[in-house]
Amino acid sequence: MKKLWRAWDSFFFSRFDPYSLGLLRIFTGVLWLVLLGFYTPNWGRFFAADGIAGIVDMTRYHDPWSLMTYFEGTISIDTWWWIGLVVGLLYVIGFCTRTMTIGLWLVVSSLVHRQIILVGAEDLVLRMVLFWCMFMPLGREWSVDAWLRRRRLKGRPDPRPLPMIWATRMLQLNIACFYLFSLPMKLTTDPAWLNGDAFFFSVINDTWARWPWPWMFYPKWMSMLGTYGAIAVEASFPILVWTRWRLPMVIAMVFFHVMLALMLENVTLFSMSMAVTYWVFIPGETSRAWVRALFRVLSTSRTSNRVKCLPASH
């Protein structure tokens, strides 16, 4: 029991480098701004009281969990668009980070409860991520808050201890549970996943397919390769992501969702929303090393270009 308790304590309450969380904040914030951009042309039609949201029989228009409904008649629907934009921008740059995270979660949750028939999986993923992000130290790195704190310290080391990892673990577990629940449902409700035809049916379907060469997957073995490969990745991720295979599994899942976004229509935003959330599995030390390597490459490239531009000596 002592070993079990120590493992539990180490898993949920150890200290960790929050460097990756700053990048997670930027990626999720940009994702929200992209979603807001897609909503913009039909914002009033979707969410105003005299739009689709007014069809009470088809929606949960009277849902009290939406701030848009709660403040109906006090705050206009166009004002909510501006609130979403401002809060999203401040969240991306990391100014008053925790407050902006709470605000953005409230805005996204209000959209979900305001118009349930328009909600996509990407909205639900973003709402879930933002919920756990409210408890994370997203402003410790890559933020205006961090820059202002360094200015106040004037070169002195930050006296704050490293944060506890429990909120990050909860988001990681939430993401892993996606596949623990979704994969068995696929296998038990759709025979195409068992006989290897799921990939074939996806790429030839006019509603879903974006791939311009569907004939590539006409051979049975190609469809089986794609179908069983997806099953293998989704089945192994919730298990191997906690082992030394974490990084390869994260890279495999990101590649998997990016390929879905490229090959299939109507799942692009969902696939990209999943791809950006996997950054929560990258250790801070790894992200820090990657960023430093990237800056070294960019610095070397700029130096090389300046040398090439120098006039030849005579």
Side-chain angles (χ1 to χ4, degrees):
M1 291 301 296
K2 288 182 179 179
K3 290 182 179 180
L4 181 62
W5 179 257
R6 284 196 297 268
W8 176 275
D9 187 68
S10 175
F11 185 78
F12 281 107
F13 302 108
S14 60
R15 304 284 178 172
F16 78 113
D17 183 354
Y19 192 86
S20 294
L21 298 186
L23 299 173
L24 175 69
R25 188 198 71 248
I26 294 173
F27 294 148
T28 53
V30 171
L31 174 66
W32 159 248
L33 295 176
V34 171
L35 288 175
L36 186 63
F38 278 105
Y39 277 132
T40 298
N42 297 293
W43 182 263
R45 182 178 298 135
F46 287 166
F47 302 110
D50 58 350
I52 298 177
I55 308 176
V56 181
D57 293 338
M58 296 180 61
T59 69
R60 296 187 296 174
Y61 172 60
H62 294 297
D63 194 331
W65 291 104
S66 175
L67 293 179
M68 295 178 178
T69 300
Y70 188 81
F71 290 101
E72 188 71 61
T74 303
I75 301 178
S76 69
I77 201 68
D78 290 336
T79 302
W80 281 113
W81 186 91
W82 286 104
I83 292 174
L85 177 64
V86 172
V87 171
L89 289 173
L90 294 177
Y91 172 81
V92 170
I93 67 174
F95 181 73
C96 297
T97 307
R98 194 174 301 278
T99 301
M100 294 302 111
T101 306
I102 296 172
L104 187 55
W105 178 78
L106 289 172
V107 171
V108 175
S109 298
S110 296
L111 290 182
V112 170
H113 288 280
R114 176 71 167 183
Q115 184 47 277
I116 192 64
I117 65 173
L118 293 177
V119 169
E122 59 275 3
D123 300 281
L124 300 178
V125 169
L126 183 60
R127 182 180 63 166
M128 178 272 295
V129 172
L130 289 172
F131 176 80
W132 293 116
C133 283
M134 292 191 294
F135 307 99
M136 295 181 190
L138 296 185
R140 291 283 287 260
E141 299 286 348
W142 290 89
S143 67
V144 173
D145 291 343
W147 177 75
L148 292 174
R149 185 171 182 81
R150 285 194 294 268
R151 290 199 62 181
R152 288 194 299 267
L153 291 173
K154 297 180 180 179
R156 300 190 303 272
D158 194 335
R160 295 177 298 176
L162 291 175
M164 288 186 179
I165 201 172
W166 71 268
T168 303
R169 290 294 191 214
M170 294 305 296
L171 178 55
Q172 291 172 344
L173 288 169
N174 211 153
I175 295 172
C177 284
F178 283 170
Y179 304 101
L180 289 177
F181 290 107
S182 66
L183 184 58
M185 183 173 293
K186 289 179 183 177
L187 299 178
T188 55
T189 59
D190 189 350
W193 286 99
L194 295 177
N195 60 30
D197 289 334
F199 208 82
F200 169 75
F201 290 143
S202 298
V203 297
I204 67 169
N205 190 304
D206 291 337
T207 302
W208 298 101
R210 177 185 286 130
W211 190 250
W213 308 290
W215 49 265
M216 292 178 57
F217 299 95
Y218 288 173
K220 178 72 173 182
W221 69 270
M222 282 293 292
S223 179
M224 294 177 66
L225 180 64
T227 302
Y228 294 143
I231 292 175
V233 171
E234 293 188 30
S236 58
F237 175 78
I239 301 172
L240 297 182
V241 75
W242 311 108
T243 69
R244 60 189 180 91
W245 293 93
R246 169 183 297 185
L247 193 56
M249 289 309 306
V250 169
I251 294 174
M253 291 305 298
V254 170
F255 177 79
F256 172 66
H257 281 285
V258 170
M259 290 304 298
L260 285 182
L262 293 175
M263 298 183 69
L264 302 179
E265 295 181 328
N266 303 316
V267 297
T268 303
L269 290 176
F270 166 69
S271 295
M272 298 313 299
S273 67
M274 289 300 300
V276 301
T277 60
Y278 291 118
W279 206 271
V280 75
F281 289 98
I282 304 297
E285 299 81 3
T286 303
S287 296
R288 197 183 298 272
W290 286 352
V291 171
R292 287 175 178 172
L294 176 62
F295 280 128
R296 283 198 298 268
V297 171
L298 295 177
S299 177
T300 303
S301 177
R302 287 196 298 267
T303 303
S304 176
N305 289 334
R306 285 198 297 267
V307 170
K308 290 179 181 179
C309 293
L310 291 175
S313 58
H314 297 283

